[in-house]
Amino acid sequence: MAPQLLRTVAEVSAWGAGLRRAGRRLALVPTMGFLHEGHLSLMREGRRHADVVAASIFVNPTQFGPKEDLARYPRDLEGDLARCAGAGVDVVFAPTEPGAMYPPGYQTYVEVTEVSKGLCGDRRPGHFRGVATIVTQLLCLFRPEVALFGEKDYQQLQVIKALNRDLHLGVEILGMPTVREPDGLAMSSRNAYLSAEERKRALSLSRGLGAAQALSRAGTREAAALVEAVRRELRAADLREDYVELVDAERLTPLATLQPGQPARLLVAAFCGATRLIDNQSIGG
Ligand code: AMP
């Protein structure tokens, strides 16, 4: 069945009030649209945790830098609604106006200090402030019991967990595994930017992470060696590294060596032509 389409904040408020009166549990999946299997996996999982599943589709302007791809970010509302229907989503919130969540007079921004540092936080100034602001808005507007996010955007997931905890929002935040193409490339709306030739070279991110994981399983503990395994693949495919880093899986602080029992994460960001791609992998621990 086609999901109910809500186009304004006022419509979401009224709909949410009805839902709470009926005592129904809500799962929310925030997205920027151009949906793929990664997004749909979150929606299907939402169904297992709630009576009602809502998705939002909003290309959030505040999380894009001035030189980033806001204007050309891929959009396909009609296709997305069909995909949401297939994934059993009940309600889609897709604001009509790009400024809908930032009307005239808007002046409230959310800044998560520690886990926003380093990695994408350093390379994309203001990005996580934009993410934290829109996600806080959506969690306050929908008041879901559960909200689902992908580990594909690993630092973003830690930012959202922090704001939910620190602002006492009381939502259960579920982080879901990265859905990949059969050859290992992490699914992303931005993969649509890649030419056929770039698409092949883009595999070097997941290949590098796989090589590092194999090394760690064989006993390598030094971050430098694990990072180098990823860099080698990026170089071989002629990708330009943005960062490759081994960090503590929760605090995202840099690690020099893997420690037994300490969950760690290896994260990579690289430019494939003009397209910036990210990926990450749990490692050791
Ligand atoms: P986006 O539309 O890129 O803002 O992503 C919306 C949500 O889908 C975020 O929680 C992402 O982490 C998640 N997501 C994006 N790609 C994937 C993927 N390949 N696997 C799992 N989740 C994903």
Side-chain angles (χ1 to χ4, degrees), residues 121-191:
D122 280 1
R123 276 72 178 189
R124 302 182 69 189
H127 172 65
F128 287 122
R129 181 176 187 256
V131 168
T133 299
I134 193 65
V135 171
T136 303
Q137 281 204 51
L138 291 168
L139 295 180
C140 290
L141 177 60
F142 277 87
R143 295 163 58 182
E145 275 69 30
V146 181
L148 298 98
F149 299 88
E151 289 183 346
K152 153 83 177 11
D153 301 280
Y154 192 79
Q155 189 173 18
Q156 167 174 289
L157 175 61
Q158 305 312 315
V159 166
I160 291 163
K161 284 182 175 171
L163 72 84
N164 179 61
R165 183 190 63 229
D166 293 348
L167 298 177
H168 318 294
L169 299 184
V171 180
E172 186 182 353
I173 304 293
L174 294 180
M176 299 299 298
T178 300
V179 176
R180 297 177 180 280
E181 301 288 356
D183 61 4
L185 179 69
M187 289 193 183
S188 164
S189 306
R190 287 191 169 99
N191 292 348

Side-chain angles (χ1 to χ4, degrees), residues 118-124 128 152-155 190 202 204-206 209 227 230-231 234-235 239-246 266-273 275-281:
L119 306 166
C120 288
D122 280 1
R123 276 72 178 189
R124 302 182 69 189
F128 287 122
K152 153 83 177 11
D153 301 280
Y154 192 79
Q155 189 173 18
R190 287 191 169 99
S204 54
L205 281 83
S206 56
L209 292 172
V227 164
V230 181
R231 287 189 171 144
L234 297 182
R235 276 197 305 271
L239 264 67
R240 181 160 64 82
E241 172 187 333
D242 203 14
Y243 63 77
V244 183
E245 251 185 86
L246 182 73
L266 188 57
L267 296 96
V268 52
F271 288 91
C272 186
T275 305
R276 186 176 180 278
L277 301 172
I278 57 172
D279 201 348
N280 67 87
Q281 172 83 61

Side-chain angles (χ1 to χ4, degrees), residues 183-203:
D183 61 4
L185 179 69
M187 289 193 183
S188 164
S189 306
R190 287 191 169 99
N191 292 348
Y193 297 147
L194 300 172
S195 68
E197 185 262 341
E198 288 170 342
R199 168 69 183 76
K200 285 186 198 145
R201 289 161 53 211
L203 259 191

Side-chain angles (χ1 to χ4, degrees), residues 28-42:
L28 177 66
V29 180
T31 81
M32 298 206 300
F34 211 69
L35 302 177
H36 51 64
E37 269 304 311
H39 299 113
L40 302 183
S41 73
L42 306 181

